[in-house]
Amino acid sequence: MKNLFLSVALVAVFFLTGCSQQETTPVYQKPRTIVTADPELDDNNSMIRFLLHATDFQIDGLVQTSSRFHWRGDGTGKTQFIELSEYDQLGLGPQTSWRFRDDERFILDIIDAYEKCYPNLKVHDPGYPTPAYLRSVYAEGNVFFEGDYSYDSDGSNLIKKNILDDKPGPLFLQAWGGSSSIAAALRSIADEYKNTDQWDAILKKVNEKVILCLSGDQDNAYNKYIAVEWPDIFVQNLGFNTMGYWDNSGINLTSPEWTAKYMQQGPIGALVRTWGDGKQMVPGDKYDPIGPSGTKTAEELKAEGYVMWTQIQPKGTLYGDGDSGCFYQLIDNGLRAWQDPTWGGWSGRWDVKKGKPESGHPAYMLNDLRDLIAGKTDRMDMSAFMAMFNTNREEDHTFPNLNPERNISEAARMTWSVTPKFEDANHYPVVTGPFDISAKAGEKVTIKAKASDPDGDKLTLKWWYFPVGTYVLNNDQALSVDSPETAETTFTVPADAKPGETIHFVLQAVDDDAELPLTRYLRTVITVAE
């Protein structure tokens, strides 16, 4: 696999007298990213989490787009009909629009709420971008029809401009809905350069720079165009081997009580979608029983024509932000997971064998949905639906459960949004140390890490072996540092390690805040030297 992920802006190299150990401590560079999202409930909740973590990314675009589930139409009366679409499954003919408000502005609504909270947020982290900046990178993309990448939109032009610029680092293009706006940008680049003497250089640049983060292929724009015309662009859809996907932390981090206390705080929290909240992205949407479920039973909703594609959850339960896996790896938690898709992070660990995302119109769902509407079954086969995202839902217990850390992190940042004084909220531990160490087989190395807490909280430290390196143990025993509960520690490189092989260790620091204990990591990669 080509090396896509670089984060080194400046590198300090330390040569330790009397041994071959070398340490490199790069200056961390925020990953560049553009989000494209359609007006779905989970996109709404994912956008809230994304902007609460806006300190962690270089946000180059926020683009409203379409998908198989939501498209606006062009306002001329033109219709679209795609076999196996939702309206086809309902027995409906061609449509002029589908499940899309003419005045849809959910991203801008969240930015408006962010603006109200911005004075508080920047107290806790001055790295938050200004509301004016976020509005400056917002654009409407290809929203007219499902999968239509045939025209240039403001959003596709914004994506194109960023693809072609000369700023350093990879560009992560996230598609939480369909990828038509991204496909339109790529199509426009091909239209402009393909028959010119610049094409080879442009093609090389795009293939080396762009990383697609797809929440499935929700409009077939990927399968129909990008995969065909741009096959060498790297794709990481939500096909991760999960680490703690299911919440086994002992705390229900989506319960009505927890959600009301931590996630529905202030102007931003007021926009968080929950089960039974009475809201709908599109009023009267029969595919959206989530909001109306608070006052009606499943049978009553069915009688009103709602498609009950999933079981009702208790009123006030947090509705999932199903697209956040596209950016969990980009969050600056110290794991640096975005630098290499096989390293593992809050999205899990990318399995390069998972291949490409499945079609946005899975034919095997058709009978399920028709039987559901006809009352012949109580629920759809959601495992078949999730195949569209090519996702492995089985937990890999080789890795620690990281789900609580990421949810508590969002709750803590939501608390920041309503807390004007720094001392009245909790903040992340500060962990520093070497990113990379080079040492010979059999050599003892010193990992000079440090950990502190800005709030004066007591820290619990733990070094753990992260089995994602290229060095493979000959037995089932894990490697360990000599002092796993102190920041500075030592480790002896295995005598049988071969030059070039890598070993990953992670230092985890957790503060003792009684309500929202926060976690910070340091990943140190040891490379075996000649």
Side-chain angles (χ1 to χ4, degrees), residues 198-432:
Q198 301 177 63
W199 175 242
D200 288 344
I202 292 292
L203 181 62
K204 182 176 185 291
K205 179 177 188 173
V206 174
N207 287 334
E208 291 181 349
K209 180 176 184 176
V210 172
I211 298 95
L212 297 181
C213 306
L214 304 184
S215 186
D217 182 21
Q218 296 185 37
D219 61 0
N220 284 333
Y222 173 78
N223 283 324
K224 284 184 176 180
Y225 177 73
I226 300 175
V228 176
E229 299 295 335
W230 302 83
D232 294 325
I233 290 179
F234 186 79
V235 179
Q236 53 181 44
N237 62 316
L238 293 188
F240 288 88
N241 283 328
T242 57
M243 293 184 284
Y245 179 85
W246 307 113
D247 178 15
N248 55 4
S249 64
I251 306 171
N252 188 340
L253 301 180
T254 63
S255 71
E257 297 77 18
W258 197 89
T259 300
K261 183 175 182 179
Y262 295 113
M263 294 306 303
Q264 294 184 299
Q265 303 182 72
I268 299 176
L271 299 179
V272 170
R273 294 301 309 277
T274 63
W275 279 85
D277 60 13
K279 303 175 184 177
Q280 288 185 302
M281 300 291 278
V282 180
D285 182 358
K286 298 305 181 184
Y287 270 92
D288 180 8
I290 310 304
S293 68
T295 58
K296 299 175 183 177
T297 66
E299 289 71 24
E300 290 171 332
L301 289 168
K302 284 181 184 178
E304 294 182 14
Y306 282 95
V307 178
M308 301 305 296
W309 52 271
T310 188
Q311 292 180 327
I312 293 177
Q313 300 299 311
K315 183 176 181 180
T317 300
L318 182 65
Y319 190 77
D321 50 323
D323 299 299
S324 296
C326 289
F327 64 84
Y328 280 142
Q329 304 297 74
L330 308 184
I331 288 176
D332 181 17
N333 52 27
L335 290 175
R336 298 183 287 125
W338 63 273
Q339 292 181 227
D340 188 311
T342 67
W343 277 12
W346 276 1
S347 288
R349 186 187 182 203
W350 173 245
D351 183 348
V352 295
K353 296 181 293 184
K354 282 197 171 292
K356 305 303 183 184
E358 300 294 333
S359 166
H361 291 279
Y364 42 75
M365 284 180 57
L366 183 59
N367 290 334
D368 271 357
L369 185 55
R370 287 179 174 168
D371 288 346
L372 185 71
I373 295 170
K376 296 179 181 179
T377 184
D378 291 331
R379 61 183 306 182
M380 293 169 59
D381 180 0
M382 293 307 292
S383 62
F385 176 78
M386 292 311 299
M388 184 177 83
F389 304 100
N390 207 3
T391 304
N392 176 7
R393 291 298 181 184
E394 295 181 2
E395 288 192 73
D396 186 344
H397 292 290
T398 303
F399 304 99
N401 176 19
L402 302 180
N403 183 64
E405 284 95 325
R406 67 193 190 194
N407 282 4
I408 290 172
S409 179
E410 182 182 12
R413 286 171 177 254
M414 189 70 81
T415 300
W416 290 358
S417 75
V418 296
T419 307
K421 293 183 178 180
F422 186 90
E423 59 269 23
D424 291 339
N426 194 29
H427 305 88
Y428 300 92
V430 177
V431 183
T432 59

